[in-house]
Amino acid sequence: MVSKKYWGLPSDDSSDTDDSDVEMEEVPQVQPAKLLDVDTAIDFMRFVFKEGLAFLDNGSGRCLADRMFVDLGGFMVDKMLEQPQRDGPCRMRMLKPTFENDLAQAFAKEARKGIAKELQGDFFGIFVDMCSPRDTYKYYMVLFARYVNCKGEVEERLLGIVPDSDTFDSAPYLKAAALSMLSEAGLSLQSVRGQGYGMPGYSDKFLNELTSMLDGAHASAYYVHPHVCPLHVHLVTACYDQSELFQLIQTLDVLSNLVQKSPQFTEKLCTLIQESGVNLDNDLRKPGETNWGSYYEAIVKFAAHITPICDALEFVDEVSRDDVKFMVYKINQGLTYDFFFGLLLMQDVLGVTNELSLALDRKGRDAENFAALLQDAKKQLQVMRDSGWTPFLNRVGMLCNDNDIPMATMGEKYVPRRRSKDAEATTKTYLDYYHVDFFQKVINKQLEVFDRRFTKESSELVLLASCLNPRNSFHSFDKDKLVRFARYYPSEFSDSATATLELQLEAFIRDVRSDARFLGMDALSSLSARMVETGKNIAYPLVYLLLKLALILPGTPATVKPASTAMKLIESAITREPCNQWISDCLLLFLEPDIFESITNDAVIPYLEAAGHSEPAA
């Protein structure tokens, strides 16, 4: 933050008392508070917000100090060369020490209003995700609005970031925060036509709080799994209540740190891998380094190289410094039968779902192919659960034998690691535990994630919406399916409007297939922009409305500014600096620069006056 001294505010230790006047008691003169040109102060802070502060990289590759010294001169010269925007003398204000905080908050509030102004009262969707700085237990809710602007372009705008409450039940708190942001922006829940949630690991109760908020406002606020949310993150975090899998991820995390921090270990490991005849094409990756990391790639890599990893651990333990030895100790503590069991299980589970996860991440997702991949993944998981136990157990045994890991005797009585009151009374064997309480339980968790995130309704919505995809000269176009899609929105498509829509769809498809301007497109978002550009949104208003409703769904891939890009930057920023109101406001201004730059000084000055930054008395 900018210091109080920088702004020229009166110092607490200033005094006009002359040491020579000790014999007389004089009342010191009260110095008038210094006044500053509020527009100059706002302009300077506008520059600071635009540059992104110390915790953000503006993409130039230069550090903050370099950007401030070099860019600030040009910025202020440009300001001096601008034509005067107002008559009369400078507007003077007495600025409190909280000036920069209050100004950031004022800009953020106006930015949210700017987003609502761009939306122009039209329908929109919301996307809510969670991020957490690495090695912390703090969580932050991130709220986006998704809509189609006046140019037909899909926008995903950040509305704000809210830290998780310290209270036991934070669902009502976060729900209230989301409502407050929408209300502050002037966005009505009645206009929401789509909702999507990332938030891996969050309880059903919390999701129910948010979905009920929207379902109660409008029946057509459909939930669809956002295409920007990696599926594997949700599949992994859904199993964290299985303590062995949580320990597995922690052990892999320490192992990744060892790869990065110990050149001796890494060199020995690469040598051992290459000696085994395997070409090491890339480094071992840290699983889930961010919410957008690939767990599957990391787990497959570790599983493939687990034997040379164990050999390299033994070598480096003898020649390393103490901090490396401690990491080796932690890893060796985690290399149990449960580790190898969980490693192969998660490799199989994520392998079955990998094609589906990749399909979710494609911008031009083929909805029919996605539906087929979804059904195939669920079927493979069910087959694995019902008939894959014996071959799986044999593979675990072979891997443990290769690495001298003691194996559990399946016929013996199961003794839990953590003793409980019922531990002595149980008749459960290790076979019962590993087969039912581990193997089948984990697979059932994956199936539950699919059922919750890919409901029959949401899957059909994405499939029907894809019938407007312009790829291959509108090869997927199906009038009957599009009419069925419209019936999901009875408020917008009455019986008479639906009949008119059928006629417009027939005319529309003949028109665009014969129009060269509509050739070569491959995404719904490019179709909407082209319709506005050519005026066909006015010629076929109901078709365009149907297209907008499809694009509002968070499960529809967009080619413009995906929220995933913003999420990566937010997570990177709050890892360096814990997120508070100031950081949240700065991130909003930095991530929405066009909205921010459109806000005038006149718009934020009333907020400053309300916060006590007063103007001089007459």
Side-chain angles (χ1 to χ4, degrees):
M1 289 187 191
V2 183
S3 70
K4 185 161 65 171
K5 182 178 179 182
Y6 184 90
W7 289 107
L9 295 179
S11 173
D12 295 333
D13 57 4
S14 61
S15 174
D16 289 335
T17 303
D18 188 338
D19 292 338
S20 63
D21 296 334
V22 292
E23 295 182 2
M24 298 181 61
E25 292 187 7
E26 293 184 0
V27 178
Q29 294 182 357
V30 177
Q31 294 292 317
K34 294 182 180 179
L35 301 178
L36 293 179
D37 179 356
V38 69
D39 290 287
T40 300
I42 293 174
D43 287 343
F44 176 74
M45 287 306 299
R46 187 188 293 273
F47 170 80
V48 173
F49 295 140
K50 184 179 178 181
E51 288 293 320
L53 302 181
F55 55 88
L56 290 176
D57 178 7
N58 69 355
S60 67
R62 296 180 297 149
C63 67
L64 177 70
D66 182 27
R67 282 151 38 201
M68 293 291 277
F69 279 114
V70 175
D71 298 349
L72 180 58
F75 174 81
M76 297 310 290
V77 168
D78 289 342
K79 281 293 176 186
M80 287 187 287
L81 293 177
E82 284 181 359
Q83 291 295 326
Q85 297 181 353
R86 60 185 182 278
D87 297 326
C90 295
R91 297 184 287 188
M92 308 300 288
R93 287 290 188 279
M94 291 184 291
L95 305 182
K96 294 166 59 179
T98 59
F99 172 73
E100 59 265 37
N101 301 66
D102 297 331
L103 182 60
Q105 196 165 7
F107 269 123
K109 289 180 178 180
E110 281 298 304
R112 282 189 273 272
K113 290 181 181 179
I115 292 170
K117 183 178 179 182
E118 185 179 60
L119 214 157
Q120 297 181 340
D122 208 346
F123 301 124
F124 67 99
I126 66 166
F127 166 49
V128 186
D129 207 349
M130 285 283 176
C131 62
S132 174
R134 195 163 184 81
D135 300 325
T136 73
Y137 294 96
K138 290 291 293 181
Y139 290 88
Y140 300 90
M141 183 182 76
V142 187
L143 178 63
F144 295 88
R146 179 181 171 111
Y147 54 93
V148 179
N149 66 20
C150 61
K151 297 180 181 179
E153 300 166 338
V154 180
E155 294 281 8
E156 285 177 333
R157 297 281 195 184
L158 174 65
L159 287 174
I161 307 163
V162 182
D164 197 347
S165 171
D166 293 330
T167 60
F168 178 75
D169 187 0
S170 60
Y173 162 77
L174 293 176
K175 174 183 175 180
L179 278 170
S180 175
M181 282 187 201
L182 292 169
S183 174
E184 191 175 86
L187 297 174
S188 170
L189 293 180
Q190 296 290 331
S191 298
V192 176
R193 291 297 182 274
Q195 51 182 312
Y197 304 98
M199 302 182 296
Y202 254 72
S203 66
D204 290 344
K205 180 180 180 181
F206 174 65
L207 294 177
N208 290 339
E209 282 275 354
L210 288 177
T211 54
S212 64
M213 169 183 81
L214 293 167
D215 293 344
H218 203 282
S220 298
Y222 297 111
Y223 164 80
V224 179
H225 178 77
H227 79 282
V228 299
C229 292
L231 177 62
H232 281 170
V233 175
H234 298 280
L235 295 179
V236 171
T237 53
C239 297
Y240 272 178
D241 60 347
Q242 188 82 22
S243 59
E244 295 87 352
L245 290 184
F246 186 74
Q247 180 64 41
L248 165 71
I249 297 299
Q250 287 189 318
T251 301
L252 292 179
D253 189 42
V254 178
L255 183 54
S256 298
N257 286 331
L258 184 61
V259 169
Q260 295 179 18
K261 295 181 179 179
S262 174
Q264 289 176 313
F265 174 78
T266 305
E267 183 180 351
K268 182 65 175 179
L269 177 57
C270 292
T271 301
L272 291 172
I273 291 173
Q274 290 168 349
E275 285 176 356
S276 66
V278 177
N279 180 29
L280 186 63
D281 54 350
N282 54 41
D283 293 333
L284 295 169
R285 293 189 180 183
K286 181 175 292 186
E289 186 168 3
T290 70
N291 281 347
W292 309 91
S294 171
Y295 284 90
Y296 180 60
E297 287 182 32
I299 287 174
V300 167
K301 186 72 70 174
F302 283 123
H305 302 317
I306 193 65
T307 299
I309 285 173
C310 291
D311 293 339
L313 285 171
E314 186 175 339
F315 163 78
V316 77
D317 191 30
E318 299 174 357
V319 299
S320 298
R321 60 184 187 270
D322 290 343
D323 60 333
V324 172
K325 285 185 177 182
F326 180 73
M327 285 192 283
V328 172
Y329 169 77
K330 292 287 289 183
I331 295 167
N332 283 326
Q333 287 288 101
L335 292 180
T336 62
Y337 180 79
D338 290 344
F339 174 90
F340 286 84
F341 189 99
L343 185 67
L344 289 187
L345 180 56
M346 292 311 297
Q347 178 183 248
D348 289 354
V349 165
L350 299 183
V352 163
T353 58
N354 192 48
E355 285 300 316
L356 176 63
S357 181
L358 293 173
L360 276 169
D361 198 40
R362 294 189 193 112
K363 289 182 179 179
R365 184 169 84 206
D366 184 336
E368 290 186 4
N369 186 43
F370 166 74
L373 288 171
L374 175 62
Q375 294 306 314
D376 183 63
K378 292 175 69 174
K379 183 178 179 180
Q380 286 191 61
L381 286 173
Q382 289 165 348
V383 170
M384 184 191 304
R385 178 194 60 193
D386 298 337
S387 58
W389 167 248
T390 300
F392 173 79
L393 189 62
N394 291 336
R395 286 170 51 220
V396 175
M398 292 173 60
L399 189 60
C400 288
N401 279 331
D402 291 342
N403 294 280
D404 299 323
I405 300 297
M407 292 184 289
T409 303
M410 292 297 164
E412 291 185 356
K413 179 181 175 180
Y414 170 68
V415 180
R417 246 180 228 166
R418 294 182 179 179
R419 305 292 292 179
S420 64
K421 294 179 181 179
D422 301 327
E424 297 297 330
T426 184
T427 58
K428 186 186 301 181
T429 64
Y430 279 100
L431 178 62
D432 296 328
Y433 173 74
Y434 282 106
H435 185 197
V436 178
D437 294 346
F438 199 156
F439 181 78
Q440 291 187 344
K441 181 182 175 182
V442 167
I443 296 175
N444 285 333
K445 280 282 186 181
Q446 314 304 300
L447 291 169
E448 288 173 13
V449 171
F450 282 124
D451 290 340
R452 184 171 65 249
R453 291 197 164 269
F454 304 100
T455 63
K456 182 178 179 181
E457 179 185 72
S458 67
S459 297
E460 184 173 25
L461 278 167
V462 174
L463 181 62
L464 295 177
S466 70
C467 293
L468 271 174
N469 196 310
R471 187 170 60 246
N472 297 329
S473 298
F474 294 86
H475 174 75
S476 300
F477 182 85
D478 188 314
K479 185 190 74 172
D480 294 335
K481 288 183 178 179
L482 289 170
V483 169
R484 200 160 86 227
F485 178 61
R487 294 192 185 281
Y488 273 93
Y489 301 91
S491 300
E492 288 66 62
F493 291 96
S494 62
D495 290 342
S496 59
T498 303
T500 305
L501 173 66
E502 290 191 62
L503 297 175
Q504 286 192 14
L505 284 169
E506 291 174 356
F508 170 78
I509 196 63
R510 289 194 301 268
D511 187 354
V512 293
R513 279 177 172 166
S514 61
D515 191 331
R517 294 174 295 181
F518 285 80
L519 296 176
M521 293 183 297
D522 63 355
L524 289 176
S525 50
S526 57
L527 173 61
S528 63
R530 191 61 52 85
M531 285 187 71
V532 172
E533 181 185 321
T534 59
K536 295 192 188 297
N537 61 319
I538 298 174
Y540 308 103
L542 293 179
V543 175
Y544 186 64
L545 172 59
L546 197 68
L547 178 58
K548 284 200 298 184
L549 291 171
L551 286 168
I552 284 169
L553 296 173
T556 307
T559 58
V560 181
K561 196 188 175 190
S564 58
T565 303
M567 285 298 297
K568 290 177 183 178
L569 194 147
I570 290 169
E571 187 167 284
S572 174
I574 65 178
T575 297
R576 299 191 189 105
E577 187 81 19
C579 188
N580 52 27
Q581 185 66 52
W582 160 262
I583 301 295
S584 173
D585 294 337
C586 290
L587 281 165
L588 171 59
L589 303 179
F590 183 74
L591 289 168
E592 302 298 345
D594 53 334
I595 295 287
F596 168 49
E597 290 177 3
S598 68
I599 302 171
T600 65
N601 291 6
D602 290 334
V604 297
I605 284 179
Y607 292 97
L608 297 176
E609 293 174 345
H613 303 278
S614 59
E615 60 184 331

